[in-house]
Amino acid sequence: MSQSPHMEAPVYTLETVAGRQLQVAYWRYSGPPNGKPPLLFFNGIGANTEVASPLPTMLDDRDFITFDMPGVGESPDPAIPYNPFIMSWITSELLDRYEMPIVDVMGVSWGGGMAQHFALQHGNRTNRLILVATTAGMVMVPGKFSALSKMVDPRRYIDPKFMETHFETLYGGSTEGSDGHIHRIKPPSKIGYFYQLFAMLGWTSAPALPFLRKPTLILTGDRDPIVQPINGQILNMLIPGSELVVIEDGGHLFMLSHAQEFIDLVREFLDRDQIEESAEAA
């Protein structure tokens, strides 16, 4: 995918925050000033920053920041476990370094839980929230066993042939864009993957979500075998004023297989404040 003329090539840095080293990826928007907040992105479990690289290139009108969780991608293994509260605090400290007082927040799958927790813990820093193929944590309807059994198999990170063979079973829906995704993956360390799983053990946002007062867009695929669509309905029911969009023929990675539809929905939602202000001014 070609680089946007208004989006600089990503800068990767290893940051030490509260004793934890994190590989940070930062895409800087260099076009005309538009007042749009940066987008903070929380990735799925075991997913490295490169997996998200198509997103800032397509959504090319704002700064974009993400990072590898401890033991994932280029972030060194964690010395001790962590939880969503700790990682949300560390994320807030990281945003201070990049002079980002207010951000839009997006999370996919496991990262959707982090996005919810960050928005609840740091509401003063959160403008809008986008939840992609995710759940309210322990209050969820489980995915299909055939997909979950493949998800915990380490071969999905280290064996491209395994991923190609089982991609549809694992992620469901259209397989468009799967080849690029497969070759951007770097395997997490065993302890990094375990600590990510452990971080969300027993976690749920459900009791707090009725008090979340942020514009929220929930996107779910109608053929997602990992996060079944009813989980999006649960989030929609719990978050006041939230919007739910179900992607037709969308699996767990509909943000890749339905990239243009996904980007159009995200861009319209993020720009809505500015659109409404322009209409009022007219």
Side-chain angles (χ1 to χ4, degrees):
M1 186 176 294
S2 60
Q3 186 71 26
S4 162
H6 295 314
M7 188 65 76
E8 296 179 1
V11 175
Y12 294 92
T13 57
L14 193 63
E15 302 277 358
T16 300
V17 186
R20 296 179 188 267
Q21 289 187 305
L22 302 172
Q23 166 93 342
V24 179
Y26 173 42
W27 285 258
R28 183 176 177 272
Y29 168 71
S30 59
N34 57 26
K36 297 180 181 181
L39 182 62
L40 166 66
F41 181 75
F42 291 105
N43 222 329
I45 189 166
N48 48 292
T49 54
E50 288 82 2
V51 172
S53 61
L55 185 55
T57 303
M58 296 185 70
L59 194 68
D60 59 356
D61 58 354
R62 69 198 70 222
D63 287 0
F64 185 102
I65 189 168
T66 187
F67 60 88
D68 289 329
M69 286 289 164
V72 175
E74 298 300 322
S75 290
D77 282 344
I80 57 175
Y82 57 87
N83 57 38
F85 179 88
I86 290 172
M87 290 312 302
S88 290
W89 171 66
I90 287 175
T91 301
S92 182
E93 294 290 303
L94 187 64
L95 293 177
D96 284 343
R97 295 189 183 184
Y98 283 82
E99 299 182 345
M100 297 178 177
I102 302 291
V103 290
D104 291 316
V105 182
M106 180 191 298
V108 57
S109 194
W110 183 95
M114 276 301 310
Q116 292 169 63
H117 197 101
F118 181 88
L120 289 164
Q121 185 174 331
H122 297 284
N124 61 322
R125 307 196 74 147
T126 303
N127 182 48
R128 286 176 171 261
L129 176 64
I130 301 177
L131 303 176
V132 182
T134 193
T135 76
M138 296 299 290
V139 180
M140 66 173 287
V141 176
K144 296 180 180 179
F145 177 79
S146 58
L148 296 177
S149 62
K150 300 289 189 302
M151 189 175 182
V152 298
D153 193 318
R155 286 180 294 171
R156 79 183 182 104
Y157 292 107
I158 61 178
D159 184 355
K161 205 68 182 167
F162 177 86
M163 278 286 284
E164 290 170 6
T165 302
H166 298 289
F167 193 91
E168 189 169 359
T169 300
L170 181 57
Y171 294 116
S174 169
T175 59
E176 186 175 342
S178 62
D179 185 63
H181 173 77
I182 290 169
H183 291 94
R184 284 191 295 270
I185 292 175
K186 293 180 181 178
S189 71
K190 290 181 180 179
I191 193 169
Y193 192 78
F194 172 74
Y195 276 3
Q196 263 199 291
L197 283 173
F198 186 74
M200 291 294 182
L201 186 65
W203 177 88
T204 179
S205 58
L209 288 181
F211 303 98
L212 180 62
R213 295 293 188 267
K214 299 295 176 183
T216 302
L217 175 64
I218 302 160
L219 299 170
T220 188
D222 66 353
R223 294 180 56 196
D224 187 341
I226 296 174
V227 176
Q228 297 198 48
I230 191 172
N231 291 292
Q233 297 172 23
I234 293 171
L235 288 171
N236 183 224
M237 178 184 67
L238 290 172
I239 302 174
S242 61
E243 305 170 37
L244 172 65
V245 177
V246 180
I247 306 298
E248 186 176 348
D249 193 34
H252 195 59
L253 294 181
F254 60 79
M255 62 186 293
L256 297 178
S257 62
H258 296 62
Q260 193 57 58
E261 179 182 1
F262 173 78
I263 289 295
D264 288 345
L265 287 166
V266 168
R267 193 185 298 276
E268 188 280 328
F269 175 74
L270 292 180
D271 292 348
R272 195 171 299 166
D273 283 342
Q274 293 183 325
I275 293 171
E276 289 172 356
E277 288 173 5
S278 298
E280 290 173 3

